[in-house]
Amino acid sequence: MGYLSKSKYCSLWQCPKIAWLRQNKPEAATIDDMLQARFEAGNMVADLAMGLFGDYTEVTVCDGDRLDLKQMIYNTSAEMDKGTDNICEASFSYNGLYCAVDILRKNGDGWAIYEVKSSTMHKKDDGTYEDDREIYIADISYQKYVLEHCGIKVTGTYLVYLNGDYIYDGNLDLSKLFIISDVAEEIDQEILRIEPNLRIAEQVLASDNEPDIDLDVHCKKPYECSFWKYCSRHIPAESVFNIYRLEMSKKIEYYRNGWVTYRELLDNAPIKNEKQLRQIEFALEDKGTYVNRTEIASFLNTLSYPLYFLDFETIQPVIPEFTGTRPYAQIPFQYSLHYIEHEGGELKHKEFLAESGTDPRRTIAESLCKDIPMNVCVTAYNKAFECTRIKELAETFPDLADHLLNIRGNIIDLLVPFQSGWYYNRTMGGSFSIKSVLPALFPDDPSLDYHNLEGVHHGGEAMTLFPRIKDMPPEEQKTARNNLLAYCKLDTYAMVKVWEELVRAAQGSIC
Ligand code: SF4
């Protein structure tokens, strides 16, 4: 069976089926861009945190593309004997259990464990944490258990995470970038669960049979499990799990009651929400398109010419790279802008794409002020995102603030008619994102199909591609930039088409 690593232990802790599937059916996992980005962020933060206490020795040894665990364990022991203060990836094994400690630090007459996470660990109003803190505690408890059984005196257990309020001033200060939290008390409680959990682990991982564990709230908390698609393969496409804004705990409650299909939900579940009911009824009765002409017309009356359609793309550096920004700040690097100057006028287009590897904020702010005059009507789809980015630019560049805040103040949200339920058809499936609304409105138009784009098909791909462009050869750079431009341009062209559809709906051409 090989070693039981701490990540395998933690997956067992979260849901034993994850560990079994990773061992026996790894191909069933869906590794999407977001999951990949989280892996990469974790590695980047862990590498940076190695220098948190000054000089350190890293004991990582590779044998081909695998870690040489035996050598790492040997090197750790040698460094400890030498009296090295900070050992990174310090490795231990006991009775088939293996762990690598992010930072093992000499502490009094023993050693302290520092576990580094790329999360900012925000505490919610109810005192719980947004991120997977409970798993982190399980992770550190497992490490402490292994070390103590290797005869190491553990005199401290700490969780190291990113300080979400840290503002970069041009010099990265690791002592302020990271927050160190003493978790000894939580570990004392959790460590009592290690041996019972290990007994479960032994049974689960030795078995040829997939654990009989059904869908539950933990499948989506705090992130969607990478095996969700596999474990939910018996669920129909239109089911309780697609219902608009229904909490996961309610979905699971209805699922356990056997109310899975829309029919079962309509006949049994106490659903009162108008939009949820419309989603179910339109699907069951194939009602075509619902249009509230009066509301749509009054929404369209709030728009005026010249009419602009704006969309941003952003990067989100885990470690702040630009002065005045925090970890995970959203930095706009690109926009597309379609506009029509007067009723019946020609559709025109402008765009901006920063140079990869530079701070894009000043140039994008100046370009916005050049391309969008003051006091004009601007639309965005889900405007909170664009408005927040523009407000941040205005705070960063006070000399441009008047113009930027004027643009922000004139943004009208094209999402409103859909989110308000004034326009609905079953193909939207209860989602009002532009990526759901567009194919529902224009199912047969290949020019509006994101799948037909080259290289970039959604914001996540744009976000990962842009920072990489600076390291590409010139020809690849050109292709990548063209792909980014085409993607963002489609976003605002889609908005134009959606607006045209709303105009037709208000005129009564759609019913
Ligand atoms: S989807 Fe849910 S049941 Fe399946 S492995 Fe993941 S957490 Fe476990």
Side-chain angles (χ1 to χ4, degrees):
M1 187 167 85
Y3 285 124
L4 180 75
S5 66
K6 62 176 182 169
S7 68
K8 205 179 259 181
Y9 173 81
C10 288
S11 61
L12 275 156
W13 185 94
Q14 194 181 355
C15 167
K17 197 168 169 182
I18 300 179
W20 191 92
L21 287 170
R22 277 193 191 155
Q23 180 175 277
N24 297 289
K25 286 189 181 173
E27 69 287 355
T30 307
I31 309 291
D32 62 14
D33 285 348
M34 297 310 283
L35 186 59
Q36 188 60 37
R38 279 210 303 281
F39 287 154
E40 287 174 14
N43 291 339
M44 188 195 301
V45 172
D47 285 351
L48 190 66
M50 287 184 186
L52 189 55
F53 302 114
D55 290 343
Y56 63 88
T57 300
E58 186 188 352
V59 297
T60 304
V61 182
C62 290
D63 179 8
D65 55 2
R66 299 173 71 100
L67 291 172
D68 185 340
L69 302 184
K70 269 194 183 155
Q71 190 63 45
M72 288 172 69
I73 292 165
Y74 176 83
N75 289 357
T76 300
S77 172
E79 291 299 330
M80 291 173 80
D81 290 346
K82 256 202 285 180
T84 303
D85 283 335
N86 301 303
I87 307 170
C88 296
E89 296 299 317
S91 301
F92 301 89
S93 78
Y94 160 72
N95 202 20
L97 311 179
Y98 166 82
C99 75
V101 178
D102 286 339
I103 306 171
L104 184 71
R105 181 164 167 73
K106 217 196 260 176
N107 182 39
D109 61 346
W111 295 84
I113 294 170
Y114 290 81
E115 173 67 17
V116 181
K117 297 296 174 194
S118 57
S119 153
T120 51
M121 209 87 61
H122 283 298
K123 211 174 191 174
K124 293 191 282 186
D125 292 344
D126 63 3
T128 59
Y129 288 85
E130 277 175 6
D131 221 308
D132 25 8
R133 185 180 171 94
E134 289 173 339
I135 301 176
Y136 302 159
I137 298 300
D139 184 336
I140 303 171
S141 302
Y142 174 82
Q143 295 177 48
K144 184 178 180 192
Y145 179 89
V146 174
L147 264 66
E148 287 186 335
H149 282 80
C150 289
I152 313 294
K153 185 172 182 186
V154 176
T155 51
T157 41
Y158 300 93
L159 187 55
V160 180
Y161 55 93
L162 286 171
N163 174 6
D165 295 322
Y166 172 74
I167 296 180
Y168 178 61
D169 65 2
N171 289 306
L172 204 56
D173 183 342
L174 295 188
S175 67
K176 290 183 181 149
L177 175 67
F178 289 106
I179 291 177
I180 299 174
S181 169
D182 185 338
V183 289
E185 269 183 41
E186 289 160 273
I187 300 294
D188 284 348
Q189 294 299 311
E190 180 58 32
I191 209 156
L192 304 174
R193 298 173 61 185
I194 299 270
E195 289 192 349
N197 284 345
L198 289 174
R199 284 194 285 276
I200 296 171
E202 205 171 329
Q203 280 172 11
V204 168
L205 295 175
S207 171
D208 290 335
N209 301 321
E210 190 173 308
D212 184 15
I213 295 173
D214 206 352
L215 303 174
D216 206 333
V217 176
H218 66 241
C219 301
K220 297 259 184 175
K221 189 174 165 276
Y223 307 109
E224 183 170 298
C225 171
S226 56
F227 293 103
W228 171 261
K229 269 194 187 155
Y230 173 80
C231 291
S232 63
R233 63 195 184 284
H234 58 294
I235 304 288
E238 291 182 328
S239 79
V240 61
F241 291 106
N242 309 112
I243 298 296
Y244 175 69
R245 293 215 170 154
L246 187 65
E247 281 176 16
M248 188 61 182
S249 55
K250 273 278 164 226
K251 291 178 178 177
I252 292 294
E253 182 190 322
Y254 294 168
Y255 169 69
R256 289 204 182 127
N257 288 346
W259 309 335
V260 178
T261 64
Y262 284 2
R263 170 52 60 200
E264 287 159 348
L265 287 166
L266 193 63
D267 290 348
N268 301 291
I271 293 178
K272 299 273 182 288
N273 181 294
E274 196 189 325
K275 286 174 210 160
Q276 293 171 348
L277 284 173
R278 185 174 299 138
Q279 179 185 351
I280 292 170
E281 285 168 3
F282 267 62
L284 286 176
E285 294 163 32
D286 208 2
K287 274 190 178 174
T289 300
Y290 168 82
V291 171
N292 184 328
R293 282 177 60 191
T294 314
E295 292 289 4
I296 292 174
S298 98
F299 169 78
L300 291 173
N301 280 339
T302 63
L303 308 181
S304 58
Y305 293 98
L307 182 57
Y308 287 72
F309 300 83
L310 173 68
D311 184 71
F312 281 142
E313 297 305 323
T314 57
I315 45 171
Q316 201 175 8
V318 183
I319 308 298
E321 294 171 15
F322 310 121
T323 308
T325 62
R326 296 179 158 85
Y328 291 103
Q330 297 259 16
I331 313 286
F333 66 88
Q334 176 180 16
Y335 66 77
S336 171
L337 188 68
H338 275 94
Y339 62 104
I340 303 167
E341 284 166 319
H342 53 83
E343 190 167 358
E346 183 193 347
L347 178 65
K348 296 181 178 171
H349 182 248
K350 290 182 177 175
E351 60 195 354
F352 172 87
L353 176 56
E355 286 301 319
S356 175
T358 64
D359 181 348
R361 292 171 300 165
R362 179 76 198 182
T363 45
I364 200 169
E366 286 175 352
S367 188
L368 270 176
C369 293
K370 182 166 66 65
D371 286 347
I372 306 179
M374 287 172 94
N375 304 319
V376 297
C377 182
V378 182
T379 63
Y381 201 93
N382 199 2
K383 74 173 190 176
F385 184 75
E386 271 70 23
C387 286
T388 308
R389 303 293 79 81
I390 293 175
K391 181 168 170 269
E392 288 162 354
L393 290 173
E395 286 165 357
T396 308
F397 305 113
D399 58 317
L400 302 175
D402 282 353
H403 197 133
L404 289 168
L405 293 177
N406 182 280
I407 295 172
R408 178 178 181 265
N410 289 314
I411 295 184
I412 292 177
D413 202 335
L414 216 45
L415 171 70
V416 168
F418 301 98
Q419 199 170 45
S420 306
W422 303 332
Y423 190 118
Y424 185 76
N425 81 36
R426 72 172 290 184
T427 326
M428 291 179 195
S431 165
F432 306 116
S433 77
I434 191 95
K435 304 285 189 295
S436 301
V437 167
L438 197 62
L441 266 50
F442 305 100
D444 303 316
D445 188 339
S447 72
L448 294 173
D449 188 341
Y450 284 86
H451 297 101
N452 293 333
L453 291 172
E454 290 287 325
V456 184
H457 310 88
H458 53 77
E461 283 178 349
M463 186 181 270
T464 35
L465 176 62
F466 178 69
R468 291 178 183 162
I469 291 179
K470 64 179 185 306
D471 303 316
M472 294 175 178
E475 265 315 297
E476 266 182 53
Q477 288 199 7
K478 209 167 140 195
T479 307
R481 287 181 67 84
N482 285 339
N483 290 345
L484 281 169
L485 290 170
Y487 166 71
C488 199
K489 187 175 183 181
L490 180 53
D491 269 343
T492 50
Y493 184 61
M495 287 163 60
V496 175
K497 300 303 282 183
V498 165
W499 164 73
E500 287 174 352
E501 178 76 358
L502 290 173
V503 171
R504 281 193 292 275
Q507 289 166 347
S509 316
I510 296 158
C511 56

